[in-house]
Amino acid sequence: MVAAAPETTPPSPRGLRHLWRWATGQEASRWRFPPLLLALLAIALALRLYGISWDQGSLFHPDERSIYMRVDCMYRVLTKAPGYGDCTRDAPFQQTQPGFPSPTEFLDARKSPLNPHWFPLGTLILYVLLAVKFALAPIMTTDLQDLAMAGRTLAALADVATIGMAYAMGARLYGRGAGLLAAALITFAAIHIQISHFYRPEPFYNLFLLVAFWQMLNVLERHRVRDSAWLGVFIGLTFATKASALPILLPVAAAYGYLWMRRPRVEAQGPSAGSGQALAPLHRLSSPLVGEGQDPQGVAHQGEPGQAREALALRVLLTGVTALAVYLLATPYALLSFPELLEWDLRELDIVRRAGIVPYTVQYIGAPRLVYELQQTTLWGLGIPLGVLAWGGFLAALALNLWRPRLPQVLLLLWAVPLLFTIAAVQVKFLRYTFPLVPVFILLGSGLAVQAIAWLQKHSRLASRAAIAGVALVVAATVFYALAFESIYTHPHTAVQASRWLNANAPPGAEILTDNHWDEGIPDLGRYQVTQLPMFDGDSAAKMDSLARNLSRADYLVFYSNRTYGAIARAVERYPYSSAYYLALFRGDLGFQLAASFSSYPSLLGVAFADDPFTRAGLPAPQGLREQQGAAIWLDLGYADNDVITYDHPLTLVFQNTARWNKDQLLPLLLQPRAPGDRAPQQPLMLTPQELAVQQSGGTWRDLFHPGSLANRIPVLAWLFLVETAFLATWPLAFAVFRGLHDRGYLLAKALALLLLAY
């Protein structure tokens, strides 16, 4: 096989270099797992388990809450525990037979207590958590919060295992250095840390997906029957976790199709052709497939004349049958209750395809395709440096493989590209939809970085050092952002903080309006009269009349997050009155003032990574909000997707009714529809009176640049002269930095000149 990509080590003294080689497993062959990888896995587990009870038992993630409630009900019905009858009142469960089902009852979807009658997610995670609850039953009684601790621990372990698989894939495709780099970046990727704090299918999906790719490489390389069987196992588990796993079938078909096309050539060569010749086509299409410590010659002895296409067809059949069997074993009611499954899937597909069908997708109306995913993953999921490396690695791998295909990378791209375009094609764009792409993109980016460093070391020592410094900067920035993100778990949830503030400041019996329609609520408000505003209902005069009446009587108005105003205020055509209500409220025109705000931005060493939920909706920030959120350095990264902030660190606002206007005063204001172009003035972009005076005192354009000057008479030539002059001034520097290139940096010198001139 082709030798692995050269390992890269940072320039260092001999002692540090020896330590680096030991940590990366290069010093001695006995290290099957490099000590650095083991350290990364330990750090990753600590980052994912820290703050595991981030919601203080309130279960603010709605998908998690549904999973825990269904598992708890399933357990109570199976064991006939007290109160199990409450779990069979809804229509789908009314024929459920309590107790462990007999084989006949198990096969009857209407009677089986193991049928969840709930298929928005793969049911594998339900059964796994149910098994955990049964395992803990002899030791302890588990409530919903205990199930949350168990489920989140499983999610954290699955993500840590994903890091291990990313290392294995990176080492196999690009060399050990790339594997360690990918493992380090995924360890500290903020999106991995956050989603591992929720019991959802994505961490398990990522793990099964990478193992399935590993088995594809085994099928290509080793030609063993058991590899085909294991490939089927993990494809089945992938589908049992998420129904959107369909694109995985493309690389599987490509892998077997490649073997099918190679089979006649292998048989024609016969055993005398030797193992190296038998795998020659695979060599030309791939990066190294054999990891360190493996025998590259021993994998080709399967290519003997006795093996025919019929044997390969049987292996394909084995993969398919195994995948189907594992899928049905993990999700039996996908078949036994297929009409119900189909109804769920069609409903979910309809919701995903068109934004605004349900209230929680109104936020995506008008979201730009693909640009939204790129922006959210880069700014919030990964941080800008890692986001550039990940997306850049994917695009570079795509371009390079169009020019010269490498089979393992082609398999990854055959899965990633269709999935990415599927995500971009639908209108609903939750960040978790893009999450499965993240470890693969990081893997491709890490491999490209290591290969680029290895190539530069042969041509330019200075450029290779600059590349190593660039990679080190990406790692350092990712670590900084990860530690900043961990800070959100160092204090109580913002909704819990708001609850404590209200209980300390609002008198018992006060009337509290909660603007949290289709959103989470503020816990522990039993002392108060709480009314929820149905803001996602269609706009009408009756709705505004009810809103005016509630606002006039309220003492406080509370927002759990920006889910309502961040979506409704953008959909002016659908909500002309409600969007105008939010604009007037945040301007201070309705007699309500911001009494308290509770935020939990990722922050470290005085640097806060803040999101802006107002500008995208055309709303002003409530007066006094910024003063309540102190930070030495404030990095406003713009709008953050609800998946980023709504569950574990939403901006929670509490307004107090200070003017006490009556309904007749409020209703005329609420019945003034907002025009589509009516947006809040962006004061931060306006000049202050002092700045305006300075600018006006500098003179007009005619005063500063005379129309008869040479530059104004021949502007194109003047511009070209300026560029060429800057180029000549920069050429010596470019020649020194890029002398390893064929043109000695001639073309790059002009771009460098513009950058330096602007700087």
Side-chain angles (χ1 to χ4, degrees), residues 694-707 712:
V694 171
Q695 295 300 321
Q696 290 177 339
S697 65
T700 64
W701 177 270
R702 175 179 291 272
D703 296 332
L704 297 174
F705 306 100
H706 194 276
N712 278 329

Side-chain angles (χ1 to χ4, degrees), residues 169-193:
M169 288 288 294
R172 191 170 188 174
L173 269 61
Y174 300 103
R176 186 174 293 176
L180 287 172
L181 178 59
L185 294 174
I186 297 174
T187 293
F188 293 101
I191 189 171
H192 278 266
I193 294 173

Side-chain angles (χ1 to χ4, degrees), residues 264-613:
R265 190 161 44 229
V266 172
E267 293 176 358
Q269 291 171 345
S272 62
S275 59
Q277 291 179 348
L279 286 183
L282 188 59
H283 285 173
R284 287 196 296 268
L285 283 174
S286 66
S287 295
L289 285 174
V290 179
E292 298 181 23
Q294 296 177 353
D295 178 13
Q297 302 298 325
V299 299
H301 296 306
Q302 304 293 333
E304 298 178 354
Q307 288 187 329
R309 279 182 167 174
E310 289 77 6
L312 180 61
L314 289 175
R315 287 168 52 200
V316 175
L317 182 62
L318 175 63
T319 298
V321 170
T322 305
L324 182 61
V326 170
Y327 174 72
L328 292 179
L329 183 64
T331 58
Y333 295 97
L335 176 64
L336 298 175
S337 189
F338 180 75
E340 196 172 12
L341 169 72
L342 184 62
E343 181 182 355
W344 273 94
D345 286 348
L346 291 177
R347 183 191 310 142
E348 292 295 319
L349 181 61
D350 199 33
I351 289 173
V352 167
R353 289 174 57 191
R354 292 186 295 168
I357 290 180
V358 292
Y360 54 84
T361 64
V362 172
Q363 59 182 302
Y364 298 112
I365 295 177
R369 300 178 187 273
L370 195 57
V371 174
Y372 186 88
E373 291 84 356
L374 174 64
Q375 181 188 49
Q376 293 297 315
T377 54
T378 301
L379 290 178
W380 298 108
L382 300 172
I384 294 176
L386 179 55
V388 171
L389 177 69
W391 282 93
F394 162 68
L395 295 175
L398 184 60
L400 291 172
N401 280 275
L402 289 174
W403 171 54
R404 183 183 178 186
R406 294 164 175 81
L407 187 56
Q409 296 178 36
V410 169
L411 296 180
L412 292 171
L413 293 171
L414 280 175
W415 166 79
V417 173
L419 179 59
L420 178 60
F421 278 98
T422 301
I423 295 170
V426 299
Q427 294 184 7
V428 174
K429 301 181 178 298
F430 290 114
L431 185 60
R432 60 178 178 267
Y433 293 169
T434 318
F435 177 55
L437 293 167
V438 168
V440 173
F441 283 11
I442 291 177
L443 177 61
L444 294 173
S446 300
L448 178 69
V450 169
Q451 287 182 335
I453 291 172
W455 184 86
L456 289 172
Q457 284 179 334
K458 298 177 182 179
H459 296 84
S460 173
R461 187 178 184 86
L462 180 61
S464 68
R465 290 182 175 179
I468 292 173
V471 172
L473 177 63
V474 172
V475 174
T478 304
V479 171
F480 186 90
Y481 186 49
L483 297 179
F485 189 84
E486 283 284 317
S487 69
I488 70 174
Y489 303 123
T490 60
H491 40 69
H493 192 279
T494 51
V496 174
Q497 295 181 50
S499 172
R500 294 174 180 175
W501 186 93
L502 286 168
N503 278 279
N505 293 276
E511 294 204 21
I512 297 177
L513 294 182
T514 60
D515 194 320
N516 65 328
H517 197 202
W518 283 82
D519 201 2
E520 300 303 304
I522 307 299
D524 193 24
L525 295 183
R527 305 167 57 198
Y528 306 105
Q529 302 179 50
V530 180
T531 303
Q532 184 189 72
L533 297 176
M535 296 308 300
F536 279 112
D537 290 355
D539 271 5
S540 64
K543 175 182 174 181
M544 292 301 105
D545 183 84
S546 175
L547 177 60
R549 183 173 59 255
N550 284 319
L551 289 174
S552 66
R553 297 186 312 198
D555 298 302
Y556 295 92
L557 172 62
V558 183
F559 291 85
Y560 168 85
S561 75
N562 70 314
R563 184 183 293 277
T564 53
Y565 64 81
I568 291 173
R570 291 184 66 246
V572 179
E573 293 82 1
R574 180 182 292 198
Y575 297 104
Y577 297 126
S578 296
S579 57
Y581 151 67
Y582 287 120
L583 184 59
L585 174 68
F586 291 140
R587 280 176 173 170
D589 297 341
L590 299 182
F592 283 78
Q593 291 185 353
L594 184 67
S597 64
F598 305 92
S599 60
S600 182
Y601 301 117
S603 58
L604 182 67
L605 301 178
V607 179
F609 299 89
D611 63 278
D612 176 10

